[in-house]
Amino acid sequence: MNQTTPTSSEAADKATNTKRKTGLRIPNIYVILFVFIALASVATYFIPAGEYQRVPGPEGRTTIDAESFQFVDGSPTTLTDFMLAIPNGLMSAGQVVFFTFMIGGMFMVLRRTGIIEIGVDKLSRRFANRRLLMIPVLMTVFAVVATIIGTQELALVYVPVILPLMIALRFDSVTAAAVALCATTAGFATGVLNPINTGLAQQLSGLPLYSGFLLRTLAFIAILAAAIFFVMRYARKVSHDPAASLMADDPTETEKRHSYLHATDDGALTANPRQKLAALTTFAFMALLVYGVLAQGWFMMEMAGLFIIMGIVVGLVAGLTTEDICEGFNQGFRDVLVGAMIAGIARGVAVVLEDGQIMDTLVYGLGNLVGELPTLLSASGMYFAQLAFNFVVPSGSGQALVTMPIMAPLADLIGVTRQTAVLAYQLGDGIGNILYPTSGYFMATLALAGVPWQKWVKFFFPLFCVWIIISLGFLLVAQAIGWAG
């Protein structure tokens, strides 16, 4: 009987499989979210129901009256409510779900035209000897955009664009997700000129718009620098040893490498005239996207509509048949199905808390808890309160409208400036958005990158801890100097 000696790759696969069987296994994200929904449902039986009165806020938004909290008759989650939590969550997160499908479909059509592979091939060849340089360049651009226009959700757009490039440069999917998510979060959280968190929170707190520019800029530099360092360190390790990748044992990662590396290995790709025209058309649509977001206030629905038209027009210009375009959209929809579903299921947690009328009670309790802290810890307490609340309301504007009418006057009572309270909200809201599985856009971005949440946590948690330390440092300085902007 013939025996063959196992290759090194087979031995590595066997070791990986053995480790997977014997090591601690984190449950599937569906299980984790289901448990959170169940815990939220149980909490409605033990946490008293309460509510704030809703009043008109800045720019036609609805906010709360901080003095109006009162306990009300409870409405604990029934079996029917629990059964409907996930469907209602999907309905509530409809914009994120639909946006995820459209962006997945559109980019698959672009891939079928061949212009993605051609662009990746040219960039990977140009930066082959200085590939690590792409990371700080891209992250700086993404962070600056986020800190000015305040759209963390643009990570959903960035990831499909840079994923092929990161793979072609011998990095991995985690690197691509990190470049998009960490950069946009660094910019959004510090919000130098961000209308969504800084501008709205300052309006709710009665502060001059965009005051405190200098300290926020310093925080932006520090948090972005930490992110770039962590991402570059990981990327360098992966480029030197692919087995060090957190995705090394993922079969989809092997498929991506085969798909995006073969062109570089086989020779330079060249575009035909129709592909060149399709690339120019793509740039025109991207310019229209930037204009719409900056000048017209476009958000997910407008961008999703644009992506539908973009996929159709670019596909036709490149010479695809209508059948090819339809199949491209279908394949893209299938590829992002899990991410779209997760984004909706995650929303189920907040739906249960809102329907059970304990969301306002949690806000009221967090405010009282912060008010009981010693003055020295007040700003830090506000930060951790915002970080905790971000788990159930991972929306920057939503969290501002609910918490800042309470935290701003509370700051006056406990010896913290309102400017510091706004910074605590910004930092607490921002960095949790790319850790908590209840953040819909974040989970959808991971799905587009093909990175499981569990693997992302393993990569991101050390940086998350560093960001907490940096945030606390800036808050302590702000409190010590009585920062008022």
Side-chain angles (χ1 to χ4, degrees):
M1 183 175 180
N2 294 331
Q3 292 184 340
T4 58
T5 303
T7 65
S8 58
S9 61
E10 290 172 340
D13 290 342
K14 184 176 180 180
T16 300
N17 291 332
T18 302
K19 182 178 179 181
R20 189 184 300 128
K21 291 178 181 178
T22 59
L24 180 64
R25 188 180 181 89
I26 300 176
N28 187 282
I29 186 60
Y30 287 134
V31 176
I32 294 171
L33 291 174
F34 186 84
V35 169
F36 284 148
I37 292 172
L39 291 174
S41 300
V42 172
T44 62
Y45 285 87
F46 296 98
I47 298 176
E51 66 178 6
Y52 287 99
Q53 291 182 7
R54 263 56 183 177
V55 297
E59 301 176 2
R61 301 170 183 263
T62 300
T63 185
I64 67 171
D65 178 357
E67 304 296 327
S68 66
F69 181 81
Q70 59 180 352
F71 291 103
V72 298
D73 293 336
S75 54
T77 303
T78 65
L79 182 60
T80 302
D81 294 332
F82 181 73
M83 181 177 66
L84 293 175
I86 290 177
N88 286 336
L90 284 163
M91 294 292 290
S92 180
Q95 288 195 23
V96 178
V97 173
F98 184 73
F99 182 77
T100 304
F101 276 125
M102 291 308 105
I103 198 171
M106 182 271 292
F107 272 102
M108 185 52 65
V109 173
L110 294 190
R111 281 202 60 191
R112 287 192 170 213
T113 67
I115 62 176
I116 296 290
E117 282 73 10
I118 293 171
V120 166
D121 179 65
K122 291 186 179 300
L123 285 172
S124 61
R125 291 178 186 280
R126 176 163 295 185
F127 288 92
N129 297 324
R130 51 187 189 280
R131 53 194 175 198
L132 277 173
L133 182 63
M134 287 295 296
I135 293 175
V137 170
L138 289 173
M139 290 185 70
T140 300
V141 171
F142 295 165
V144 169
V145 171
T147 208
I148 293 174
I149 69 174
T151 308
Q152 234 176 337
E153 290 80 3
L154 281 177
L156 277 164
V157 179
Y158 298 146
V159 158
V161 176
I162 65 173
L163 176 61
L165 178 60
M166 292 296 108
I167 300 294
L169 291 174
R170 302 312 200 263
F171 302 133
D172 66 352
S173 299
V174 173
T175 306
V179 168
L181 287 168
C182 294
T184 53
T185 297
F188 179 86
T190 50
V192 177
L193 295 174
N194 183 344
I196 292 179
N197 62 2
T198 307
L200 181 58
Q202 287 182 331
Q203 284 180 294
L204 291 166
S205 303
L207 295 170
L209 197 60
Y210 303 128
S211 54
F213 179 88
L214 177 58
L215 189 63
R216 284 188 177 83
T217 301
L218 294 176
F220 169 76
I221 294 171
I223 288 179
L224 177 60
I228 290 174
F229 171 78
F230 267 82
V231 176
M232 289 185 69
R233 186 182 66 168
Y234 173 81
R236 182 185 292 110
K237 183 170 61 175
V238 170
S239 66
H240 290 163
D241 179 15
S245 168
L246 292 171
M247 301 293 294
D249 61 346
D250 193 313
T252 61
E253 191 74 7
T254 303
E255 295 175 8
K256 292 175 194 172
R257 286 185 173 274
H258 175 75
S259 176
Y260 295 123
L261 287 174
H262 76 89
T264 303
D265 295 336
D266 295 342
L269 299 177
T270 57
N272 62 40
R274 297 198 70 158
Q275 286 175 323
K276 292 178 181 179
L277 185 57
L280 291 175
T281 305
T282 301
F283 286 126
F285 271 104
M286 287 299 180
L288 180 58
L289 174 67
V290 173
Y291 168 77
V293 172
L294 291 177
Q296 301 297 319
W298 285 5
F299 199 49
M300 287 190 180
M301 295 305 288
E302 292 85 358
M303 288 191 287
L306 181 68
F307 289 149
I308 296 172
I309 298 173
M310 180 177 173
I312 295 171
V313 172
V314 173
L316 291 174
V317 170
L320 297 183
T321 66
T322 54
E323 185 67 22
D324 289 334
I325 294 172
C326 292
E327 283 303 312
F329 272 106
N330 283 337
Q331 184 179 346
F333 296 159
R334 288 192 294 269
D335 289 348
V336 300
L337 174 62
V338 172
M341 290 296 296
I342 289 173
I345 294 171
R347 176 63 184 160
V349 178
V351 167
V352 168
L353 296 178
E354 290 168 355
D355 291 348
Q357 294 184 285
I358 64 173
M359 183 78 81
D360 286 2
T361 305
L362 294 175
V363 178
Y364 177 75
L366 287 172
N368 286 339
L369 181 63
V370 171
E372 295 297 323
L373 292 174
T375 302
L376 182 63
L377 301 178
S378 297
S380 301
M382 284 185 169
Y383 170 73
F384 284 112
Q386 297 284 8
L387 189 62
F389 189 70
N390 184 240
F391 180 83
V392 293
V393 182
S395 162
S397 58
Q399 188 168 338
L401 291 165
V402 173
T403 62
M404 287 316 299
I406 296 169
M407 293 300 179
L410 179 62
D412 298 336
L413 297 175
I414 61 178
V416 175
T417 66
R418 292 193 173 198
Q419 198 75 262
T420 303
V422 170
L423 183 63
Y425 146 72
Q426 290 177 252
L427 297 173
D429 163 63
I431 69 172
N433 284 338
I434 58 171
L435 176 66
Y436 300 146
T438 51
S439 175
Y441 97 90
F442 156 60
M443 298 303 293
T445 303
L446 288 185
L448 287 171
V451 177
W453 177 74
Q454 299 90 326
K455 293 182 183 293
W456 172 260
V457 171
K458 186 178 293 187
F459 163 79
F460 176 65
F461 193 74
L463 175 58
F464 178 74
C465 293
V466 170
W467 274 357
I468 288 178
I469 293 171
I470 294 173
S471 300
L472 291 175
F474 275 95
L475 289 170
L476 289 173
V477 168
Q479 186 168 354
I481 65 176
W483 179 52

